[in-house]
Amino acid sequence: MSSEDKNKLEAVLLLGDAFVEEIQKHNSESQTQKPEVTGQSKVTWWNRDCDGQRVTTSKRRKKGSSAVGTSPCASSSITTSPCTSYEDTDFNMQRLEDLLRDSESIDGQDFDQQPPLSSWSQRQKEVQQCWQQARPQNLDNLLSAENIVQMTCNHCHMREAVIRCGECMPSEWFCAECDHLVHKHHTLHSRQTTIYGFYKYIPPTECVKLHDGKYIICEQDCLLPTAFPQMICSCDTVDVAVSVGRSIILVCINGRYDLHVPVLTCKHCNKQWSPAVSDFVRSGYWPATMQAQTLFHQDLFHSFEAMKTVAPGMSRQAFTSMLDQRTKQFGRVMNADAFQRSFLQYMYCNSEENQLLGKEPFVCPACSPEMVAVSVDGNRKLYRFQKINQSEELGFFDGVFLAQDSEVSNFVEEVRGAVKSTAGKAMCGESHWTAARETSKQANKLDEEGVEIAVCRHGFLLKGLNMYRGEIFAYPMFLQKEFQNAKFLAMDVTCRYVPYLEKVSEALTHLQPLQKMRHCLSVMHAKAHNTKCEILWNARNQEGAGTTLGEEVEQVNSYFSRCALTTKYMAKSGLTDMLTVHAMGWNQRKENGLHIALSSRFKKTVEKTLDVTESLKKMQDQLHCCDDMLKQWVVDVKQWASSGKNNISIEALFVSICQKKHYLYRQNDRNKRRLKISQKIAQEKKRLLEEIQRYNQQPDGDPVDTNSVVQKLSNKAAESMIWPWQEQNTDGVDILTKKKLFDQVMLASRLTEEKQILVKEMMQHCQYLKDSVAKVQSLMATVSVSTQTGSYPNGFTEEGSMGLISLLKRRLQDLRLKQQTVTGTYRGILKPSPRLVEEEDGEMEEEMDWQCDNSSEDEDEDDAEVGT
């Protein structure tokens, strides 16, 4: 290894230590240093070698220090368990550095440091002030733009201009004759006439003519803009006449146009040519039917897909109504059903094309090949009403995202046949859980009762299935066997699912590998379980999980719940196809911002680690708790959680109220149902207070603080309760105090693990892009060889094969540009410099606030998760 490589490797290994030292040094100086004299600045000079690399003279930190890349068992005051072998930080960091070094050879953008910008709030304030000052001038400009000015034609420079075309700027003014000559070749331009004394839009089928000294509006035939062939016959001289053919309707983003198909006629042999469906597709259109009486512009489908991805609650009727408004022609309407049918056909062909290009829409690049966690949950808002005489036709995307119903039903019947199911809801303590069922009845008036979804910890949709019998344990088990490579499975009823999985695995031996996967409760759902269950199963308390929330599926459910406004009235095939299109659009957005999400998460983790470590030390100092005592308290809390549980009515009522409040908007999309649940909450709260009053009247035992209970129930995020009969006070410290320190220790341990997990995920992301480039290059070579030998792949024509090669070239260029962006971002976050990958709070894309212990639960009904 050369000296340059050694220096780079040493810099990477020490980057975390240097970064933490700078932050700690800055914090200590800001607290103890006196204000400096104006005009003086503090400069730190770094020694560099002949290659410009920084030479560090500081010694490596000891294992007790908190730094980026430190193993989970480095600090005795934070962790109590040994490191797991799969988290080899040095190995992952070295592989990531190798991948980043390899990408430096790619020609691309410069990643020099940019000057720091002002704060986001200050910039917004300045922008608002500028707009406020310019408001009167903007209004005057708007009015001035409607003023009719006498203009001369920009083309002939002789006659008066009566037509203005905004798409022909800067030569936008036309006289009547020049307008006819120019716009017969630009049919779809939006034109305005000034003959009425104001600007008025006219459709392409109208023109302006001078008649008896006055300008009038006349009708004209317009031809569909389409690509012409180089020759239509074998004549030596090319001399063709263009005439008007059959009428055809074109629909684009500006509405509907009534046009005519062009017909070419050879003047020598009289042979005619008119465009076929293949010519329409080559020209950028897509037929509504195979007879091609109506055409949709392909750009219209892209616009509709983008709008549905951003606003999933928008229906196709609303979109087509918007197109009707843009036609500017009263009485012309569109067929919404034909639009959706043609749109889904186009999206299916696009998905087949992407498959030929090697794209994987339901694979997370950061989780491939090793996935940390998969989160499974149901969404009961995605139900679908029964329809009489509905078509049994399968959707285009059957089995792509949503598993085939036959496979799911066979698996459910296999499980139910092997294990005797217990009717009713399962319980955690004395609380019932709707999602914790082994069996359930089918609902009336509904075909599908919802969708069960599996996502990774980055929010990528991986797989789903239709639920026909509510949320039963067999559904998440089906998804679990699809992702056995994941280390953790996060659910909202893990404490009840694990015993059921063990029972099924004993009967069905081929499912025994599922027990190797570790299980955890999602962080927020754990708050609705009883305290001991939370300690045992909470994802925050599981070694190796990092800061995985397990609630990532909630973000997806919040998005999918808005789709239910339209999908519940669709046919089964339409539901399957539309949800798959939404899922692919969602994953595409996640993939585009994955490098930003990982970088921002890494930066926040480093900062949060320092804060939590400092907070833990303060708590230890306040309680006079040394490191050895802290370890013992952690063991005490775990032993207390594993001890027997006291199932009394007070605990059951408290947890039941917390659950009903948590799911008030998540499971119910009707106000009538919410009113009944709110009344039930009030009744149970009254019963709870009566039970507490009755318990406090007993002579023996510590009383329950009623005010504390009421306050915890009134919080948006209900906190867990330690009841007097649960407390253990053998060493003079109550269990609640120990649990507070226990929670802080677990958080510090998970943050330390998270830094290592993020390094590995960034490495896997870079490796995935590198492998994708190699895969596309291999496909290009295969298709090129097949084309040269005349054996075209998949039965394509020669033109289709050459088009596939062109698309592969474009895909290869896009991947290389993506590599430049991703590696540049990761270089910035890993270098110990102020230029980290930062996103201002006001400009960040919606992401889960994963770093908070108690996330907000005040989601409105449109942002609600349903299944469970």
Side-chain angles (χ1 to χ4, degrees):
M1 181 180 295
S2 63
S3 59
E4 179 181 354
D5 293 337
K6 291 182 179 179
N7 290 333
K8 289 185 178 181
L9 180 58
E10 181 65 16
V12 172
L13 293 175
L14 296 177
L15 60 91
D17 295 338
F19 176 62
V20 174
E21 286 177 354
E22 289 182 7
I23 293 180
Q24 291 177 340
K25 184 176 180 181
H26 175 74
N27 293 337
S28 61
E29 289 176 355
S30 61
Q31 295 176 0
T32 61
Q33 189 177 5
K34 295 182 179 180
E36 298 182 359
V37 181
T38 306
Q40 296 180 356
S41 61
K42 204 167 185 180
V43 180
T44 301
W45 298 96
W46 294 96
N47 295 326
R48 297 184 180 273
D49 58 16
C50 59
D51 297 325
Q53 300 294 330
R54 194 182 73 193
V55 178
T56 177
T57 57
S58 60
K59 295 182 179 180
R60 292 291 304 273
R61 276 182 174 268
K62 296 182 179 180
K63 292 186 177 181
S65 61
S66 173
V68 179
T70 308
S71 62
C73 58
S75 177
S76 60
S77 62
I78 296 180
T79 61
T80 60
S81 56
C83 304
T84 54
S85 59
Y86 105 98
E87 293 171 343
D88 191 342
T89 310
D90 295 338
F91 176 74
N92 292 331
M93 184 68 76
Q94 183 175 358
R95 286 194 61 191
L96 178 58
E97 176 63 16
D98 293 340
L99 290 170
L100 296 179
R101 190 186 302 110
D102 292 342
S103 65
E104 291 178 356
S105 59
I106 303 176
D107 295 332
Q109 55 187 347
D110 187 12
F111 300 101
D112 293 339
Q113 295 187 12
Q114 300 293 334
L117 300 176
S118 59
S119 65
W120 180 84
S121 58
Q122 180 64 26
R123 296 200 304 272
Q124 295 300 309
K125 184 178 180 181
E126 294 174 356
V127 169
Q128 183 65 24
Q129 291 176 352
C130 293
W131 275 108
Q132 187 173 359
Q133 294 173 0
R135 194 173 299 159
Q137 183 63 38
N138 290 336
L139 177 59
D140 183 74
N141 294 338
L142 191 64
L143 296 175
S144 301
E146 297 297 327
N147 181 35
I148 301 297
V149 182
Q150 287 293 107
M151 299 292 294
T152 304
C153 177
N154 294 140
H155 299 267
C156 66
H157 303 286
M158 296 173 53
R159 290 178 287 271
E160 177 187 3
V162 292
I163 295 292
R164 181 187 180 188
C165 178
E167 300 180 42
C168 290
M169 290 184 179
S171 302
E172 72 270 24
W173 292 100
F174 296 84
C175 63
E177 290 77 4
C178 292
D179 173 58
H180 176 72
L181 293 175
V182 173
H183 284 110
K184 70 178 181 180
H185 302 293
H186 303 286
T187 308
L188 305 182
H189 281 196
S190 299
R191 299 143 58 231
Q192 295 172 298
T193 180
T194 61
I195 63 176
Y196 299 106
F198 56 87
Y199 292 110
K200 180 182 179 181
Y201 281 97
I202 59 175
T205 55
E206 294 181 357
C207 63
V208 176
K209 288 185 178 181
L210 185 63
H211 180 71
D212 295 335
K214 294 183 180 180
Y215 288 104
I216 61 173
I217 300 296
C218 300
E219 295 289 333
Q220 65 177 358
D221 294 329
C222 295
L223 299 179
L224 173 72
T226 185
F228 287 170
Q230 293 184 353
M231 55 190 311
I232 63 174
C233 60
S234 58
C235 297
D236 295 334
T237 58
V238 179
D239 190 7
V240 297
V242 182
S243 58
V244 176
R246 65 180 178 88
S247 60
I248 193 170
I249 298 173
L250 174 65
V251 181
C252 62
I253 195 63
N254 287 325
R256 166 177 167 165
Y257 294 89
D258 295 323
L259 306 174
H260 293 270
V261 173
V263 176
L264 303 184
T265 305
C266 178
K267 295 181 180 180
H268 300 284
C269 63
N270 293 328
K271 184 176 181 179
Q272 292 186 340
W273 174 92
S274 60
V277 174
S278 59
D279 299 300
F280 291 144
V281 175
R282 187 179 296 108
S283 301
Y285 310 124
W286 192 261
T289 61
M290 293 312 299
Q291 290 74 30
Q293 299 293 332
T294 301
L295 299 178
F296 293 103
H297 204 290
Q298 293 181 17
D299 181 65
L300 179 67
F301 291 151
H302 293 297
S303 301
F304 180 65
E305 180 190 8
M307 294 184 69
K308 286 288 288 182
T309 302
V310 177
M314 183 191 66
S315 64
R316 66 179 186 274
Q317 287 86 353
F319 185 77
T320 54
S321 297
M322 179 271 295
L323 297 179
D324 288 335
Q325 293 295 326
R326 294 183 65 85
T327 59
K328 303 295 182 180
Q329 297 180 3
F330 180 76
R332 293 181 178 179
V333 295
M334 289 175 49
N335 190 334
D337 293 333
F339 173 79
Q340 175 161 315
R341 188 185 308 111
S342 184
F343 168 74
L344 292 177
Q345 288 275 4
Y346 178 75
M347 293 304 300
Y348 175 72
C349 290
N350 266 350
S351 67
E352 291 291 315
E353 179 182 285
N354 291 334
Q355 187 175 358
L356 292 173
L357 298 179
K359 294 184 178 180
E360 299 173 309
F362 298 105
V363 173
C364 175
C367 293
S368 177
E370 296 184 28
M371 185 182 301
V372 176
V374 58
S375 178
V376 178
D377 202 356
N379 190 331
R380 299 191 66 181
K381 280 188 178 178
L382 290 174
Y383 58 84
R384 189 176 64 86
F385 292 116
Q386 286 182 349
K387 290 190 175 183
I388 302 176
N389 298 328
Q390 65 176 348
S391 174
E392 297 296 333
E393 181 182 359
L394 296 177
F396 298 111
F397 298 98
D398 184 49
V400 177
F401 170 60
L402 295 178
Q404 294 181 345
D405 292 339
S406 58
E407 295 181 6
V408 178
S409 60
N410 292 338
F411 179 79
V412 172
E413 292 301 324
E414 180 185 12
V415 171
R416 295 181 65 184
V419 177
K420 183 178 180 181
S421 301
T422 303
K425 306 174 185 177
M427 302 165 62
C428 178
E430 289 294 325
S431 56
H432 295 265
W433 285 84
T434 305
R437 296 174 182 263
E438 297 182 17
T439 182
S440 179
K441 296 181 179 179
Q442 189 169 3
N444 295 328
K445 300 181 180 180
L446 296 178
D447 275 340
E448 291 88 13
E449 298 184 23
V451 173
E452 190 92 9
I453 301 172
V455 303
C456 72
R457 71 188 223 112
H458 307 106
F460 277 76
L461 285 159
L462 303 176
K463 196 69 175 178
L465 57 85
N466 290 314
M467 299 189 301
Y468 288 91
R469 294 184 175 276
E471 293 187 72
I472 57 177
F473 286 146
Y475 290 147
M477 193 179 299
F478 178 87
L479 295 176
Q480 182 186 357
K481 71 181 182 64
E482 298 292 322
F483 304 100
Q484 299 183 36
N485 63 326
K487 187 177 181 182
F488 286 93
L489 176 68
M491 289 180 60
D492 51 359
V493 287
T494 297
C495 56
R496 307 310 309 165
Y497 172 76
V498 172
Y500 182 76
L501 175 62
E502 294 174 352
K503 183 170 62 173
V504 173
S505 299
E506 292 178 0
L508 302 175
T509 55
H510 65 278
L511 296 179
Q512 289 181 358
L514 299 182
Q515 297 189 35
K516 297 179 181 179
M517 186 183 296
R518 299 174 60 186
H519 300 268
C520 63
L521 272 175
S522 47
V523 173
M524 284 310 305
H525 282 86
K527 300 294 183 182
H529 287 247
N530 86 30
T531 307
K532 295 185 177 183
C533 180
E534 176 191 357
I535 293 174
L536 293 175
W537 294 103
N538 193 344
R540 188 59 50 81
N541 303 334
Q542 305 301 317
E543 181 188 355
T547 56
T548 303
L549 285 179
E551 301 284 0
E552 291 80 10
V553 72
E554 302 292 343
Q555 188 184 19
V556 179
N557 278 335
S558 172
Y559 172 79
F560 266 175
S561 294
R562 289 177 282 171
C563 303
L565 298 175
T566 56
T567 56
K568 59 186 175 184
Y569 301 108
M570 291 182 178
K572 180 177 179 58
S573 58
L575 172 68
T576 302
D577 294 337
M578 195 56 67
L579 287 183
T580 304
V581 170
H582 279 293
M584 290 189 294
W586 172 273
N587 283 357
Q588 185 61 50
R589 291 171 56 193
K590 286 292 182 182
E591 183 177 357
N592 293 339
L594 180 60
H595 60 292
I596 296 296
L598 290 177
S599 302
S600 177
R601 192 163 180 170
F602 184 88
K603 172 179 175 289
K604 291 181 179 180
T605 300
V606 172
E607 295 175 350
K608 186 72 173 178
T609 302
L610 297 175
D611 296 339
V612 171
T613 304
E614 183 179 357
S615 176
L616 178 60
K617 291 181 179 179
K618 289 181 179 179
M619 293 178 65
Q620 286 184 253
D621 294 339
Q622 292 174 359
L623 297 173
H624 306 288
C625 177
C626 63
D627 292 347
D628 293 337
M629 187 181 298
L630 179 62
K631 292 180 181 179
Q632 183 59 43
W633 285 7
V634 170
V635 174
D636 292 344
V637 172
K638 292 182 178 179
Q639 290 179 350
W640 174 80
S642 302
S643 61
K645 302 176 181 179
N646 300 282
N647 297 327
I648 65 174
S649 58
I650 294 180
E651 293 183 63
L653 288 171
F654 181 84
V655 177
S656 177
I657 294 172
C658 292
Q659 292 173 6
K660 287 183 172 62
K661 288 181 60 180
H662 183 76
Y663 294 120
L664 182 61
Y665 287 95
R666 287 172 165 80
Q667 270 190 342
N668 308 281
D669 58 352
R670 295 181 178 86
N671 290 331
K672 185 176 180 180
R673 177 62 178 165
R674 293 181 188 134
L675 177 61
K676 291 182 179 180
I677 295 177
S678 299
Q679 293 174 349
K680 187 69 177 296
I681 291 175
Q683 295 173 2
E684 291 188 354
K685 189 173 182 180
K686 182 179 179 181
R687 286 178 52 199
L688 175 62
L689 297 178
E690 292 175 353
E691 291 290 338
I692 292 176
Q693 184 178 6
R694 188 178 299 110
Y695 174 81
N696 289 340
Q697 292 175 355
Q698 297 178 2
D700 54 342
D702 297 330
V704 178
D705 187 359
T706 306
N707 295 330
S708 176
V709 174
V710 173
Q711 182 179 0
K712 289 184 181 293
L713 287 176
S714 62
N715 294 337
K716 293 181 179 179
E719 301 177 1
S720 57
M721 282 287 298
I722 304 294
W723 304 97
W725 54 85
Q726 293 179 333
E727 295 183 4
Q728 292 180 350
N729 195 5
T730 58
D731 54 359
V733 181
D734 60 273
I735 196 67
L736 183 60
T737 302
K738 293 181 180 180
K739 184 179 180 298
K740 290 180 180 179
L741 273 173
F742 172 82
D743 292 339
Q744 201 72 2
V745 169
M746 291 297 105
L747 177 58
S749 301
R750 301 295 84 77
L751 286 169
T752 305
E753 296 168 357
E754 181 68 15
K755 290 182 289 187
Q756 303 164 10
I757 292 174
L758 288 173
V759 169
K760 183 173 183 178
E761 289 177 341
M762 288 189 283
M763 180 269 295
Q764 290 188 153
H765 189 192
C766 294
Q767 186 64 45
Y768 181 86
L769 292 175
K770 186 176 180 180
D771 294 342
S772 298
V773 170
K775 182 179 180 180
V776 172
Q777 291 175 338
S778 175
L779 289 173
M780 286 180 58
T782 303
V783 176
S784 299
V785 171
S786 300
T787 304
Q788 293 174 1
T789 57
S791 56
Y792 305 117
N794 299 329
F796 296 146
T797 61
E798 181 180 0
E799 290 184 352
S801 300
M802 298 303 297
L804 178 58
I805 294 177
S806 299
L807 290 176
L808 287 170
K809 291 180 179 179
R810 182 198 300 174
R811 169 70 172 161
L812 183 61
Q813 183 183 21
D814 293 342
L815 284 172
R816 285 174 173 168
L817 291 175
K818 185 70 173 178
Q819 273 187 300
Q820 296 175 16
T821 304
V822 170
T823 54
T825 302
Y826 292 160
R827 286 195 198 101
I829 198 65
L830 292 175
K831 287 181 180 178
S833 67
R835 185 180 179 262
L836 299 174
V837 181
E838 298 180 357
E839 285 294 328
E840 298 288 350
D841 293 338
E843 300 171 331
M844 282 194 67
E845 184 185 358
E846 55 193 42
E847 291 289 343
M848 262 194 174
D849 192 11
W850 56 269
Q851 59 178 340
C852 294
D853 277 339
N854 297 319
S855 302
S856 174
E857 294 186 29
D858 55 344
E859 296 177 344
D860 57 20
E861 53 189 283
D862 287 337
D863 247 358
E865 176 262 336
V866 194
T868 60

